[in-house]
Amino acid sequence: MKHLQHFQQQLDDLKLQGQYRHFKSGVSSAPLIQFNGTTMLNLSSNDYLGLAADQALREEFFDLTPMHERQMSASSSRLLTGNFPAYERLEASMSQAFGRAVLLFNSGYHMNIGILPALVDSKTMIVADKLVHASIIDGIRLSTANYVRYRHNDLAHLQQLLTKYQADDKIERIMVVTESIFSMDGDETDLRALVALKQQFDKVLLYVDEAHAIGVRGQHGLGCAEQYQVLAEIDLLVGTFGKALASVGGYLVCDPVIREYLINHMRPLIFSTAQPPICMAWTDFIFQKMQSLQQERQQLASLALEAKQQIESLGYRCPSSSQIVPVIMGEAAQTVAAAEYMQQQGFYILPLRPPTVPQNTSRLRLCLNQHVTPTQLQQCLNVLREWSR
């Protein structure tokens, strides 16, 4: 009972700070959802292209997939009996699109906590952007490497650090780690400039997470690396299927030597049961569809730009250059109240508070998707304007 009292006090403190979290019933990735007895426009899903909510796509997939291929469990790691044909087909499809080897993982979190500890050692220095995802931070902490963080998207600061560690004879490799589109601010790294900087230092390997860019950027939806024509220059290009690609899992695009090394050294890959084969078959189906959706990508970009401009006109800071559009309010309780007001008016928008974001940067986060119309977006922004008066 004493121990339970300790944990209950921690929960009570979170409630007082406006940082308490709980699961919500009845929500989904559907364009319209029912929550607290109200029908709301879903502006919190990462289904950026609307593919997860597309019932016709699921029907087409199951029509094309014979019953003997609808396997719901791998029942093993891939290194035992879990390397089903669906895995190899998906890796082959992606390898053809990206032009390099591809390796699949159970999730983006598995990916980021496994790759870095497998590849780095005590002679490696990890240099990571200040705002990288929690899974990357956990991967860094699980490794034996030393690490330092550079100021967010500050390539001048990064250059200073690289110059320092390049000259250090005790360091054999430098792993620069960043995201292309950042999940909290919706802003992005200047990948062309980052690649140009990397090429000045022969110790540097570049690790870029495209979780929020795959599907929505590039002529074929392959991410910011495709958009800025630097696919071949990024040593470790990772991403997830659980957002625009409407599925589950993660992937790495890399040299075949790195792929083979990870198969032999990456603990979350070696010691986890593989994803259900039907999920990999679905991902392959979606990956093929996604590559042709250039018009949808352009429409999403236009919608996001309109949202950013109007949010800034209301006096809020909005650093976004993507479909993730934050309304940075600052104080947590005010942000929670604003989210509740938006929900009462029919817009399912959630507050992001510390520790998810830094202190005094609590924000609403609009995750735009293909099902949101310009009219619906305008209605949402009108409600935000009413709240702001």
Side-chain angles (χ1 to χ4, degrees):
M1 184 64 68
K2 178 181 178 181
H3 299 303
L4 291 180
Q5 290 173 348
H6 165 76
F7 293 119
Q8 184 62 56
Q9 183 61 54
Q10 304 304 308
L11 291 172
D12 292 342
D13 289 346
L14 287 176
K15 292 176 182 178
L16 289 173
Q17 297 162 13
Q19 297 178 13
Y20 181 74
R21 293 164 172 79
H22 62 280
F23 291 128
K24 301 169 182 62
S25 300
V27 297
S28 72
S29 60
L32 296 175
I33 59 175
Q34 295 289 329
F35 184 60
N36 288 340
T38 302
T39 300
M40 301 184 194
L41 180 68
N42 189 351
L43 291 170
S44 292
S45 169
N46 293 328
D47 184 20
Y48 300 133
L49 294 174
L51 302 177
D54 192 330
Q55 182 175 330
L57 274 180
R58 296 197 295 275
E59 292 173 351
E60 181 183 353
F61 170 72
F62 282 110
D63 286 344
L64 294 171
T65 306
M67 187 60 68
H68 71 273
E69 292 187 10
R70 300 182 191 181
Q71 292 152 314
M72 302 303 182
S73 175
S75 303
S76 168
S77 76
R78 287 186 72 183
L79 286 167
L80 297 177
T81 63
N83 191 34
F84 286 77
Y87 283 86
E88 296 184 336
R89 286 196 296 267
L90 176 55
E91 286 176 337
S93 295
M94 296 188 69
S95 181
Q96 182 178 14
F98 281 99
R100 282 192 292 167
V102 171
L103 183 60
L104 304 177
F105 307 106
N106 279 14
S107 71
Y109 213 105
H110 265 85
M111 170 186 80
N112 282 329
I113 66 169
I115 294 174
L116 289 171
L119 291 180
V120 304
D121 55 27
S122 60
K123 296 180 180 179
T124 305
M125 175 61 73
I126 297 175
V127 185
D129 187 286
K130 182 68 175 176
L131 296 186
V132 291
H133 191 264
S135 59
I136 295 176
I137 294 170
D138 288 351
I140 292 171
R141 289 173 174 169
L142 286 169
S143 77
T144 58
N146 293 313
Y147 70 92
V148 66
R149 310 278 286 279
Y150 65 94
R151 291 187 292 269
H152 177 52
N153 277 344
D154 188 339
L155 297 190
H157 186 212
L158 175 59
Q159 184 172 20
Q160 293 172 9
L161 295 171
L162 295 183
T163 300
K164 174 183 176 181
Y165 298 123
Q166 175 75 24
D168 190 334
D169 293 336
K170 296 179 181 179
I171 295 174
E172 295 181 355
R173 281 168 298 281
I174 305 169
M175 183 76 76
V176 175
V177 184
T178 186
E179 299 175 42
S180 57
I181 295 176
F182 286 83
S183 59
M184 295 297 107
D185 283 353
D187 59 344
E188 61 185 275
T189 299
D190 185 341
L191 278 187
R192 282 198 185 117
L194 182 59
V195 164
L197 179 59
K198 172 234 177 185
Q199 292 171 339
Q200 299 175 28
F201 302 93
D202 62 9
K203 289 184 180 180
V204 170
L205 294 168
L206 184 55
Y207 185 112
V208 178
D209 190 330
E210 294 255 60
H212 293 276
I214 183 68
V216 301
R217 291 293 188 92
Q219 180 67 30
H220 301 95
L222 302 182
C224 291
E226 181 194 26
Q227 179 182 1
Y228 300 119
Q229 301 178 333
V230 292
L231 275 172
E233 285 74 34
I234 298 173
D235 302 282
L236 299 126
L237 185 69
V238 302
T240 61
F241 302 128
K243 296 176 173 59
L245 269 64
S247 188
V248 63
Y251 66 87
L252 165 67
V253 180
C254 62
D255 187 274
V257 172
I258 298 294
R259 182 182 188 274
E260 185 175 356
Y261 184 90
L262 289 172
I263 290 171
N264 286 274
H265 287 86
M266 182 174 159
R267 293 173 66 84
L269 175 67
I270 296 170
F271 297 110
S272 288
T273 296
Q275 284 279 8
I278 194 167
C279 293
M280 298 299 94
W282 165 253
T283 305
D284 192 20
F285 172 80
I286 289 292
F287 185 73
Q288 304 302 330
K289 296 280 189 183
M290 174 277 297
Q291 293 181 63
S292 65
L293 301 180
Q294 182 60 3
Q295 181 178 351
E296 286 79 357
R297 285 185 273 276
Q298 292 172 349
Q299 291 171 347
L300 185 60
S302 296
L303 199 70
L305 179 59
E306 178 65 24
K308 172 185 171 67
Q309 291 174 341
Q310 290 205 41
I311 288 168
E312 288 180 335
S313 74
L314 295 176
Y316 296 108
R317 187 166 70 86
C318 181
S320 174
S321 61
S322 72
Q323 73 282 355
I324 301 168
V325 188
V327 184
I328 299 178
M329 294 186 163
E331 201 269 328
Q334 177 193 17
T335 306
V336 171
E340 290 175 351
Y341 181 78
M342 299 298 294
Q343 291 173 16
Q344 291 166 5
Q345 303 303 312
F347 298 97
Y348 189 67
I349 300 171
L350 297 177
L352 295 179
R353 299 152 287 167
T356 304
V357 296
Q359 290 289 338
N360 302 315
T361 69
S362 293
R363 78 279 310 267
L364 304 179
R365 183 175 62 168
L366 281 67
C367 293
L368 301 177
N369 64 73
Q370 185 58 33
H371 288 300
V372 178
T373 68
T375 298
Q376 289 172 323
L377 175 63
Q378 188 58 60
Q379 292 168 343
C380 173
L381 295 173
N382 289 343
V383 171
L384 180 61
R385 183 173 288 105
E386 293 170 5
W387 162 263
S388 304
R389 287 173 180 165

